[in-house]
Amino acid sequence: MPSQHSMACDIVVFGGTGDLALRKLLPALYYLHRDNHLHPQTRILALARARHETTAYVQLVQRHVSQYVAQGDFDQNSWEGFAQRLDYMSLDVSQRVEFPRLAKALGGQSDRARVFYLATVPSLFAATAKHLASVGLTDGRSRIVLEKPLGESLKTANQINDGIGAVFDEARVFRIDHYLGKEAVQNLLALRFGNALFEPLWRNAHIDHVQISVMETVGVENRGDYYDHAGAMRDMVQNHLLQLLCLVAMEAPVHFEPEAVRNEKLKILEALRPITGMDVQDSTVRGQYSNGERAGEKLPAYYFEKSVDHDSNTETYVALKVEVDNWRWAGVPFYLRTGKALAQRKSEIVIQFKSVPYRLFGGIDQPACNRLVIRLQPDESISLSLMAKTPGRGMALQKVELDLNFAEAFKRRRWDAYERLLLDVIEGDATLFMRRDEIEAAWRWVDPVIQGWQDCYRSPKRYAAGSWGPEAADSLLDRLGHAWLDER
Ligand code: BG6
């Protein structure tokens, strides 16, 4: 059957033996193949330094795909078709002399789009682009996909972007933030801009504060090498959390098209009040997990993790109080937090509306209600907490929830973020990708916070692995009479 959507292309994955390729990209491509979204002529070429025969690589991919797709979704027939598309080549990206081999392998197909997916360390991005150009692989039909983190600061991000920009014009650069590919994140846009109900309330006159949490139960797993240099601020806040904040806070774009959406997000990044000097102590909390346990299982401290420095000062947890200085949001705190090795895995956005101006009825505290929770993980749902009268005599009120669970509402398989984003790249739709100026604005805001931490020489606050994070993160909200929405 012909493909339903995408055009024929060559997808070239640099870092083909890495974690990201094996756990996320190839399973996502398998689904796209299985569900007939890849053109029959589309090929996938994985590249890495390791020497593998293609057959051995295909077996490696099979092991991972069968493990990482949902139970029951791996079928032998689809797999065999997918394996036909797959090829592997050993290549050292730092060596220009190796690229003519790549050009030869891709040769003779200049009519098709080429997608170069760089799932490698960012320090190799610029050189890879340059080497691709040197062998004529970067014509107008080619695209480059860059995985985060893009640099470690504004300066290094600019170096990378300059190197990429020398070869690919901005419209052909796809900077991935996989959070933007999550179904629930797009639902946030649908909720805000597909319903007239919320818009008049979506502002400082009615919203008390916003919480954005991305909490993980996993530690750094086998990524200690990368993570110990990055930390939670660069790994999660600079990209995923700020992007979520943008989607909550931005104005309606004039069209649902790349430039219009990204212009609105950029305005929010530019409106973030800088956190500098002493404000860093007042408005931020950084933590690092120590020994702990979850459900009776002992969990190691961060500094015992593989490839992590025993004296490491890297943060595995960050909480921030952020202000957006514009008319819509002045005076509304946005609390952001993210961390590893926590008690519960959950990603959610909480919109806490203001209490009624005057309490007519008894019952529980108003702040527990008037709340919209958009849950991204582990399940996808939207719930609205309201006050309702309890049955019987009198006017005692209690909280009730209007709950929309997406798995129940739409009985279809949920796409993984990478499936959606890979298809967007093939089709050349950059709406859900970050533009260079967004990355710069995000680093411009993040850099002084990291600098402030370095200047004060304070170690991160310890929290037990398996707990809810450092106590200081609770005090951050407590000061303004707020509290994280957790069921502890
Ligand atoms: C990645 C981070 O971007 O996102 C990881 O590098 C993190 O450290 C991951 O674990 C979380 O993604 P998800 O989709 O599992 O919430």
Side-chain angles (χ1 to χ4, degrees):
M1 209 187 343
S3 160
Q4 292 165 355
H5 291 293
S6 64
M7 61 176 84
C9 64
D10 286 337
I11 303 171
V12 182
V13 181
F14 290 86
T17 52
D19 232 37
L20 178 72
L22 293 171
R23 283 166 53 161
K24 292 287 185 185
L25 303 180
L26 288 152
L29 287 167
Y30 163 82
Y31 271 123
L32 290 179
H33 163 85
R34 191 199 69 164
D35 297 347
N36 206 29
H37 294 297
L38 294 183
H39 191 282
Q41 307 295 321
T42 289
R43 304 181 299 181
I44 302 164
L45 173 61
L47 307 172
R49 269 216 302 232
R51 303 215 166 272
H52 284 299
E53 291 301 324
T54 297
T55 42
Y57 182 73
V58 171
Q59 281 165 8
L60 177 75
V61 176
Q62 180 174 8
R63 280 202 299 282
H64 282 82
V65 170
S66 57
Q67 182 182 350
Y68 289 106
V69 299
Q71 219 181 3
D73 281 353
F74 185 84
D75 82 82
Q76 199 55 32
N77 234 343
S78 300
W79 166 255
E80 279 163 21
F82 180 68
Q84 295 294 315
R85 298 178 185 274
L86 258 182
D87 209 345
Y88 178 80
M89 178 187 280
S90 156
L91 183 135
D92 181 348
V93 286
S94 64
Q95 303 300 317
R96 202 203 76 83
V97 290
E98 307 226 340
F99 279 68
R101 270 195 305 124
L102 175 61
K104 193 160 168 230
L106 297 176
Q109 304 282 356
S110 56
D111 56 321
R112 51 170 63 207
R114 289 195 192 104
V115 173
F116 297 109
Y117 198 118
L118 308 198
T120 56
V121 288
S123 53
L124 294 172
F125 288 178
T128 308
K130 194 164 131 204
H131 296 160
L132 287 170
S134 74
V135 293
L137 286 175
T138 53
D139 60 26
R141 306 206 55 186
S142 59
R143 286 151 212 176
I144 192 156
V145 189
L146 308 176
E147 258 299 332
K148 61 150 275 277
L150 213 79
E152 321 178 319
S153 60
L154 177 60
K155 187 167 163 224
T156 50
N158 277 343
Q159 285 162 356
I160 296 171
N161 280 323
D162 287 346
I164 298 292
V167 176
F168 291 90
D169 51 61
E170 182 64 25
R172 293 189 291 134
V173 182
F174 290 75
R175 298 179 189 83
I176 282 226
D177 182 318
H178 77 278
Y179 265 61
L180 295 180
K182 288 183 190 277
E183 199 80 10
V185 174
Q186 288 153 39
N187 245 315
L188 171 61
L189 294 173
L191 180 85
R192 286 198 58 199
F193 304 127
N195 298 288
L197 178 66
F198 293 109
E199 173 51 25
L201 306 177
W202 210 260
R203 58 189 66 248
N204 45 12
H206 304 288
I207 292 180
D208 183 64
H209 72 275
V210 176
Q211 300 181 12
I212 302 178
S213 303
V214 178
M215 304 170 67
E216 300 185 274
T217 47
V218 290
V220 290
E221 300 176 293
N222 44 17
R223 296 164 71 227
D225 225 0
Y226 148 74
Y227 195 90
D228 207 30
H229 290 102
M233 190 71 174
R234 295 185 177 99
D235 185 49
M236 298 292 289
V237 178
Q238 190 271 346
N239 32 78
H240 305 326
L241 276 90
L242 288 186
Q243 286 291 318
L244 292 179
L245 186 154
C246 286
L247 298 184
V248 171
M250 74 187 208
E251 298 299 317
V254 268
H255 310 288
F256 192 59
E257 281 173 8
E259 298 321 317
V261 171
R262 300 190 296 183
N263 288 345
E264 295 307 331
K265 286 196 291 162
L266 179 65
K267 286 184 203 160
I268 296 299
L269 291 167
E270 288 176 338
L272 297 179
R273 184 180 303 170
I275 303 181
T276 53
M278 286 309 288
D279 293 345
V280 174
Q281 302 309 318
D282 290 345
S283 302
T284 76
V285 173
R286 57 195 297 263
Q288 186 189 87
Y289 59 88
S290 49
N291 292 329
E293 64 171 70
R294 186 183 308 109
E297 186 200 342
K298 294 246 175 291
L299 303 169
Y302 173 68
Y303 47 81
F304 286 138
E305 300 274 18
K306 201 168 120 208
S307 312
V308 168
D309 187 344
H310 284 333
D311 300 322
S312 175
N313 257 335
T314 300
E315 78 284 354
T316 59
Y317 181 101
V318 181
L320 303 148
K321 175 170 160 282
V322 180
E323 306 269 351
V324 180
D325 283 336
N326 65 14
W327 273 48
R328 189 185 279 267
W329 295 112
V332 178
F334 282 71
Y335 297 112
L336 271 46
R337 67 174 165 169
T338 183
K340 293 206 179 275
L342 294 170
Q344 200 185 71
R345 174 174 183 244
K346 73 167 177 181
S347 303
E348 68 184 17
I349 297 166
V350 177
I351 312 290
Q352 178 64 59
F353 291 94
K354 291 189 171 162
S355 299
V356 291
Y358 168 69
R359 275 176 73 166
L360 264 185
F361 312 111
I364 61 166
D365 261 0
Q366 298 282 340
C369 304
N370 295 314
R371 176 188 291 151
L372 180 71
V373 179
I374 300 144
R375 177 71 73 94
L376 277 52
Q377 285 169 168
D379 50 330
E380 294 177 2
S381 63
I382 293 183
S383 71
L384 186 61
S385 311
L386 302 170
M387 294 296 263
K389 178 187 169 304
T390 51
R393 259 192 92 206
M395 279 300 286
L397 301 195
Q398 87 175 43
K399 186 175 83 155
V400 286
E401 310 262 2
L402 293 181
D403 254 329
L404 170 64
N405 180 301
F406 288 102
E408 284 165 20
F410 302 99
K411 302 215 179 302
R412 280 193 234 144
R413 185 179 72 80
R414 317 293 292 158
W415 281 43
D416 181 75
Y418 280 99
E419 284 174 62
R420 164 76 192 254
L421 295 174
L422 279 163
L423 207 51
D424 284 355
V425 176
I426 295 171
E427 289 174 354
D429 180 351
T431 311
L432 299 175
F433 294 80
M434 292 181 291
R435 205 168 54 192
R436 175 172 180 163
D437 48 8
E438 283 182 78
I439 302 272
E440 288 172 7
W443 279 122
R444 208 169 290 122
W445 185 81
V446 162
D447 274 356
V449 179
I450 296 178
Q451 188 59 49
W453 288 338
Q454 282 165 1
D455 292 346
C456 77
Y457 299 109
R458 285 202 200 151
S459 309
K461 310 248 184 283
R462 305 283 167 204
Y463 63 96
S467 72
W468 291 90
E471 276 170 21
D474 296 339
S475 318
L476 184 71
L477 274 67
D478 201 32
R479 273 183 256 149
L480 291 179
H482 300 142
W484 295 109
L485 180 66
D486 292 328
E487 280 167 17
R488 302 192 184 182

